Amino acid sequence: MQLAIVVNEGPYTHQASDTAYQFTKAALEKGHGITRVFFYHDGVNNGTRLTVPPTDDRNLQKLWSELGEQHKLDLVVCVAAAQRRGILDADEARRHGKDVSNIAPGFRISGLGQLIEAGIQADRLVVFGD
Amino acid sequence: MAKKFLYINRKAPYGTIYALESLEVVLIGAAFEQDVSLAFIDDGVFQLMAGQDTTAAGFKNFSRTYKALGDYEVRKLYVERESLEERGLKLEDLMPITYEDENEDYAEKPSIHVVGRSELASIIAGQDVVLSF
């Protein structure tokens, strides 16, 4: 089955992104396909490379990047939600005159159309949020 | 073949960003020509209140956008009766939201339908994609 995943909450404050990560990993291990993982609302904070969680805790952003690389996942951060919350790739940083970009490896920034498209293409769309 | 998309709005309009960003998805999603419905339950019914004024709070008042949904071919807004009643609200407390029916000489028709909890459950069950905000 092809699954689309939507992550609506940021890491650490909510369990939603942990659950989404565990679900995605388990689905892949069971042989399902992941059409796309779309990060919205505070979920875009899963896509920054600048977090430094304590070393005795999980590093959720890094886990997403690693899972993405391992399975060639399409990890998409909503551009409008990302701009509000300070998640920028190099192009966005340049366009808005910011001195740094912070998008995590394996993530890309794109529009909300990618969420709708994932809903159309996937067999099931699963939302993780508050 | 269009899919049936339902956006479920559960939060008050200004205490958190969910309502505003949900509306942004609905507007972008309209371009994909799917079969779109919106549901308003719990505090989500406050999103449709008439006479919203955000001046003192300093937020952008986006309530007018709901009135424009008809222009985006978004014509089915289901409001849960029990959620209204639990909050002491009536249909008359909500903004009038209409669309123009091209099959009936562009007559203005109401987009808002007040439905009971069990009817809403069957509406949800009949969807292909449910996005919950």
Side-chain angles (χ1 to χ4, degrees):
Chain A
M1 187 177 279
Q2 278 294 319
L3 300 166
I5 309 294
V6 184
V7 184
N8 282 340
E9 297 296 341
Y12 308 112
T13 304
H14 281 78
Q15 194 182 346
S17 31
D18 290 275
T19 315
Y21 170 79
Q22 299 293 350
F23 179 91
T24 303
K25 191 163 170 280
L28 288 162
E29 284 163 4
K30 290 275 186 189
H32 297 293
I34 302 295
T35 305
R36 177 168 297 140
V37 184
F38 192 85
F39 297 87
Y40 197 46
H41 300 309
D42 279 359
V44 300
N45 289 316
N46 285 280
T48 170
R49 63 183 173 81
L50 294 182
T51 53
V52 191
T55 49
D56 60 353
D57 199 357
R58 72 224 184 278
N59 186 332
L60 206 48
Q61 290 89 345
K62 192 157 165 280
L63 288 171
W64 277 117
S65 285
E66 286 168 358
L67 192 68
E69 188 185 11
Q70 192 184 344
H71 296 278
K72 302 282 172 265
L73 297 181
D74 191 17
L75 306 176
V76 177
V77 173
C78 168
V79 62
Q83 284 177 348
R84 280 194 181 103
R85 295 165 178 85
I87 309 292
L88 301 168
D89 62 13
D91 283 348
E92 285 288 307
R94 203 174 307 116
R95 186 172 308 130
H96 299 286
K98 302 294 181 184
D99 58 358
V100 71
S101 66
N102 60 344
I103 190 92
F107 285 78
R108 68 185 178 94
I109 292 179
S110 190
L112 279 167
Q114 299 278 301
L115 168 58
I116 306 298
E117 186 188 77
I120 293 169
Q121 291 175 351
D123 298 309
R124 294 282 188 280
L125 176 138
V126 189
V127 182
F128 294 86
D130 203 0
Chain B
M1 182 60 184
K3 278 193 171 180
K4 296 180 74 157
F5 274 68
L6 175 69
Y7 300 88
I8 303 182
N9 297 287
R10 299 173 293 132
K11 308 277 173 51
Y14 304 105
T16 60
I17 202 169
Y18 298 102
L20 172 61
E21 289 192 331
S22 169
L23 205 47
E24 290 181 349
V25 181
V26 172
L27 297 180
I28 296 288
F32 286 76
E33 297 182 346
Q34 303 296 301
D35 180 359
V36 174
S37 306
L38 272 59
F40 296 85
I41 64 172
D42 301 341
D43 280 351
V45 298
F46 287 120
Q47 293 179 26
L48 301 180
M49 286 283 287
Q52 294 180 30
D53 183 354
T54 60
T55 315
F59 298 144
K60 181 166 83 175
N61 184 343
F62 57 90
S63 61
R64 276 186 297 272
T65 311
Y66 294 100
K67 289 192 172 187
L69 286 174
D71 300 335
Y72 290 83
E73 306 290 312
V74 177
R75 303 170 163 191
K76 289 175 284 189
L77 276 58
Y78 300 105
V79 178
E80 193 192 61
R81 179 175 296 112
E82 288 86 343
S83 294
L84 285 176
E85 288 170 353
E86 284 159 10
R87 289 159 182 79
L89 298 175
K90 296 189 178 69
L91 176 61
E92 295 73 45
D93 296 313
L94 307 182
M95 295 180 274
I97 300 177
T98 58
Y99 70 95
E100 294 179 343
D101 189 341
E102 66 276 11
N103 296 321
E104 290 189 23
D105 200 22
Y106 296 92
E108 285 216 352
K109 295 189 172 177
S111 300
I112 294 180
H113 306 279
V114 178
V115 297
R117 194 159 279 169
S118 59
E119 190 185 344
L120 189 58
S122 63
I123 289 168
I124 294 170
Q127 302 296 318
D128 296 309
V129 179
V130 177
L131 285 153
S132 176
F133 295 101

